[in-house]
Amino acid sequence: MDEKENDLSFIMVNHADCRPCGTLFKHIKCLDNNGLNFNFCYGTNEFGKSNQIKTNKITRLNPCGITTSNSSLIISDNQLGVVNIYSIDDFINSFTLPYKVLFKHSFPSVTDVSMHEETFFVTDHLSKKVHICSKVGVEHFLNSEIFLPQSLELSGICVTNNKQIIVSDSKACNITVCEQNGDVLHTFGGTDKLDYPQFLCWSSRSERIFVADTCSSKVHVFNIYGQHDFSFGSHIMNNGCFLNPSGIDVDDTGRIFVADETLNNVQVFDKDGNLIDNFGESGFKCGHFYSPKGLSVCNGKIYIADSLNYRVQVFEEKFNH
């Protein structure tokens, strides 16, 4: 992608004390929607219909949440109110592919998305709902909803191995754990413990919830019952700090990957929260970020929703082939 023109109405800030180490990871893919193959585009809202969606083509990708499986890459688009589903093999191996777009459902709003087996889960903060979309057949889904009337701003979502749903409420500063039938098991956090939690993830390896707590510039780790294990990160400007942590995921070895919307990088930590590496910097070229949001790790690759560059970028470890 070419550098943008100099008449932009925003300023990109490089933080000199948080430069990328770049020792472990390499950039392998940088795609806006000219290089994406849509398996399906699921859901739309009136804004999307009238302004940005044309027949069989979406004019701009606005990625927010992102999740992966062995076969699928799922991206929530919070401006269009859609969830896009891609073949992960096509996404990695191809550059120009035809669009195939189906509109199945209307989401008033979407923020994050998570997947478990053949079902994906979407947070919808305007309707105070979690949408549950279970795949039946090749291109059809069965819909159900969980209504959380006390929520203020549903944000991140993840799902445990036994299908319990975990959602963050950024404005209420809490985390809710519920069953797929809508039964709320418990809520924890509060303004004394969390400060605008956004994205979160579940680690099946450690059976822990990892929460990117944006305004405290920390990552907090809890067990499924809401008991706090440990936290890491700070405002202090050096490697390992956060300014606005956003997307977060944990790989099969326990390493923790955290995107930062203000530092415009991704930092990698060991299972105890010690910094291993970081990569990325402010900008518009491949390997640069502008307000990265959702992040997902699958099969040695890191998928990042580079939101204000309107694209998804993919990285892998340098020794992977």
Side-chain angles (χ1 to χ4, degrees), residues 69-224:
S69 68
N70 289 331
S71 61
S72 298
L73 170 68
I74 304 180
I75 302 168
S76 64
D77 186 319
N78 62 342
Q79 290 193 28
L80 295 182
V82 301
V83 172
N84 303 321
I85 305 177
Y86 310 93
S87 161
I88 208 162
D89 289 335
D90 288 345
F91 186 92
I92 290 297
N93 297 321
S94 302
F95 285 93
T96 55
L97 292 164
Y99 290 90
K100 184 177 183 183
V101 183
L102 299 176
F103 304 113
K104 295 284 190 179
H105 189 67
S106 178
F107 296 123
S109 63
V110 297
T111 304
D112 197 13
V113 61
S114 185
M115 188 175 190
H116 185 275
E117 296 176 346
E118 293 295 312
T119 301
F120 68 87
F121 305 79
V122 183
T123 48
D124 179 349
H125 69 270
L126 289 181
S127 67
K128 300 177 181 284
K129 292 178 180 178
V130 172
H131 299 275
I132 304 172
C133 309
S134 302
K135 189 173 183 180
V136 286
V138 179
E139 296 177 354
H140 300 282
F141 288 85
L142 182 66
N143 308 313
S144 59
E145 298 172 341
I146 297 174
F147 181 45
L148 299 171
Q150 304 304 316
S151 65
L152 300 179
E153 186 179 309
L154 294 178
S155 185
I157 188 166
C158 60
V159 184
T160 69
N161 294 11
N162 59 0
K163 300 183 180 180
Q164 291 178 341
I165 301 167
I166 307 168
V167 293
S168 63
D169 187 325
S170 296
K171 286 187 177 178
C173 298
N174 62 31
I175 309 295
T176 296
V177 182
C178 59
E179 302 284 5
Q180 287 198 40
N181 63 7
D183 291 343
V184 174
L185 300 177
H186 50 269
T187 298
F188 61 91
T191 55
D192 58 331
K193 296 181 176 66
L194 296 171
D195 191 359
Y196 208 80
Q198 290 195 77
F199 294 93
L200 45 72
C201 70
W202 169 257
S203 170
S204 56
R205 183 179 185 273
S206 64
E207 297 189 336
R208 292 295 184 268
I209 306 165
F210 292 76
V211 180
D213 196 29
T214 302
C215 291
S216 74
S217 297
K218 292 182 180 295
V219 168
H220 301 296
V221 184
F222 302 90
N223 67 17
I224 191 63

Side-chain angles (χ1 to χ4, degrees), residues 185-285:
L185 300 177
H186 50 269
T187 298
F188 61 91
T191 55
D192 58 331
K193 296 181 176 66
L194 296 171
D195 191 359
Y196 208 80
Q198 290 195 77
F199 294 93
L200 45 72
C201 70
W202 169 257
S203 170
S204 56
R205 183 179 185 273
S206 64
E207 297 189 336
R208 292 295 184 268
I209 306 165
F210 292 76
V211 180
D213 196 29
T214 302
C215 291
S216 74
S217 297
K218 292 182 180 295
V219 168
H220 301 296
V221 184
F222 302 90
N223 67 17
I224 191 63
Y225 305 105
Q227 297 169 328
H228 179 260
D229 272 9
F230 68 97
S231 301
F232 60 93
S234 73
H235 290 285
I236 300 172
M237 291 302 298
N238 54 33
N239 286 323
C241 76
F242 299 120
L243 290 184
N244 286 287
S246 53
I248 186 167
D249 204 2
V250 179
D251 72 6
D252 292 337
T253 68
R255 294 179 304 179
I256 308 158
F257 294 74
V258 187
D260 193 299
E261 289 186 71
T262 301
L263 292 176
N264 289 305
N265 68 6
V266 174
Q267 299 187 71
V268 189
F269 301 85
D270 67 17
K271 62 182 180 61
D272 299 313
N274 301 305
L275 182 69
I276 299 171
D277 196 12
N278 62 51
F279 57 91
E281 59 183 298
S282 300
F284 311 106
K285 295 181 179 179

Side-chain angles (χ1 to χ4, degrees), residues 9 34 47 52-53 88 93 98 189 202 223 229 235 293 305-306:
S9 58
N34 288 324
F47 170 81
Q52 285 192 288
I53 297 181
I88 208 162
N93 297 321
W202 169 257
N223 67 17
D229 272 9
H235 290 285
K293 292 189 181 295
D306 189 11

